Amino acid sequence: GIDTNGFLYLWGLVFDGFSYLIFDEPTRMTVADDTTATFTDVSVGWDFLVCLRSDSTLWALGSNYYQCLGSMTDSLYTDEWVKVSEAHDWISIHCGSICAYAINSKSETFAWGGNFFNQLGFETDGQSTSTLTLLEDAVNCNEIQAAKSYLYDNSIYGFHTFLLKKNGALCHMGSNYAYQLGTGETDTLWHLIACEETSIHEAETTIPVLRLFPNPCQDMITISHIPADARTLILCDLSGRIIRQIPVTEETMQLSTQSLNDGIYLIQVSGPTRNLTRKFIKCKQ
């Protein structure tokens, strides 16, 4: 978990390579002995985790059996944080059970780790790869969701992944034994990445929901569906630090993001009866 100061905490059962450790309450973690480091994202796999520092670098620890810790280490297991790659322009991270995906500031998607059923979207020489590989068909990607696989009756299930692109295209890859790829049929094949152009429609709801577009944005973001009783519009970073605060004057407002660094930010609209918050991504392209 990440608190409002941007500090990273861990709890639960942890294997240090020799024995299991139990953290029965959130324990603050430091990366590379840097006690001042802050974080914007963290994602957990089966027995490893990857976090995104505020300086847009990726760090990981845990099991490297399926090369989920990236290309900067060949250790089978480490309880010391290792840098996943030399790149320093990452904006989001998502871990599957034995694989990982990351999006950079150019909206390019990279994948690495276990690849039993082509859940990485491409073929590998072995069952895994430590090389962060660009998914050519998944540029301009907004979001990634990889199945958190599970073990049942000595078999492993759930190796598939979905990616959503900015233009509304939905990409899928991996196993399809139970129709999970949504292709209309089931099979035992290992599917490479395939993207279908679709249109996205936001469902109307009786619950007030702010709408932000475009998201990700470059120099300007539009906030619509602002409640009539809203008083203040607040721009914050993920640590909760207020960057800008302006009065609400209309149901739809525009906010300049030109001065912001690439990264993830929060828009909060507050009033006497409710506070609404949405997340958006600022990137150059």
Side-chain angles (χ1 to χ4, degrees), residues 29-65:
M29 306 293 291
T30 58
V31 172
D33 295 324
D34 185 355
T35 59
T36 64
T38 57
F39 303 85
T40 60
D41 203 0
V42 61
S43 187
V44 181
W46 256 359
D47 47 11
F48 75 102
L49 63 86
V50 181
C51 66
L52 174 61
R53 277 182 55 161
S54 299
D55 62 1
S56 299
T57 57
L58 293 181
W59 297 77
L61 67 81
S63 170
N64 199 32
Y65 189 83

Side-chain angles (χ1 to χ4, degrees), residues 121-146:
F122 55 89
E123 293 181 339
T124 50
D125 292 336
Q127 293 183 330
S128 62
T129 178
S130 65
T131 302
L132 276 65
T133 304
L134 174 65
L135 299 181
E136 297 283 356
D137 293 332
V139 294
N140 295 321
C141 180
N142 268 351
E143 190 166 344
I144 302 168
Q145 290 294 329

Side-chain angles (χ1 to χ4, degrees), residues 3-171:
D3 70 7
T4 55
N5 295 313
F7 296 141
L8 179 67
Y9 289 80
L10 177 148
W11 61 94
L13 191 66
V14 180
F15 183 62
D16 68 358
F18 302 97
S19 60
Y20 285 98
L21 309 175
I22 296 177
F23 293 88
D24 57 1
E25 61 183 25
T27 302
R28 186 179 165 191
M29 306 293 291
T30 58
V31 172
D33 295 324
D34 185 355
T35 59
T36 64
T38 57
F39 303 85
T40 60
D41 203 0
V42 61
S43 187
V44 181
W46 256 359
D47 47 11
F48 75 102
L49 63 86
V50 181
C51 66
L52 174 61
R53 277 182 55 161
S54 299
D55 62 1
S56 299
T57 57
L58 293 181
W59 297 77
L61 67 81
S63 170
N64 199 32
Y65 189 83
Y66 297 105
Q67 299 180 288
C68 296
L69 304 187
S71 56
M72 304 292 286
T73 181
D74 56 3
S75 299
L76 183 60
Y77 183 94
T78 176
D79 55 3
E80 299 289 337
W81 290 94
V82 295
K83 208 171 185 180
V84 175
S85 78
E86 290 289 2
H88 50 82
D89 61 344
W90 304 105
I91 61 173
S92 66
I93 176 70
H94 183 82
C95 294
S97 296
I98 59 170
C99 56
Y101 309 82
I103 302 174
N104 65 15
S105 60
K106 299 177 183 177
S107 297
E108 295 172 331
T109 303
F110 289 77
W112 69 98
N115 198 32
F116 286 156
F117 297 95
N118 289 338
Q119 66 267 31
L120 295 183
F122 55 89
E123 293 181 339
T124 50
D125 292 336
Q127 293 183 330
S128 62
T129 178
S130 65
T131 302
L132 276 65
T133 304
L134 174 65
L135 299 181
E136 297 283 356
D137 293 332
V139 294
N140 295 321
C141 180
N142 268 351
E143 190 166 344
I144 302 168
Q145 290 294 329
K148 299 290 188 181
S149 311
Y150 68 96
L151 180 67
Y152 176 75
D153 196 22
N154 292 321
S155 296
I156 303 173
Y157 299 90
F159 287 116
H160 61 284
T161 304
F162 283 94
L163 301 96
L164 181 64
K165 297 172 69 174
K166 292 179 183 178
N167 65 358
L170 186 64
C171 308

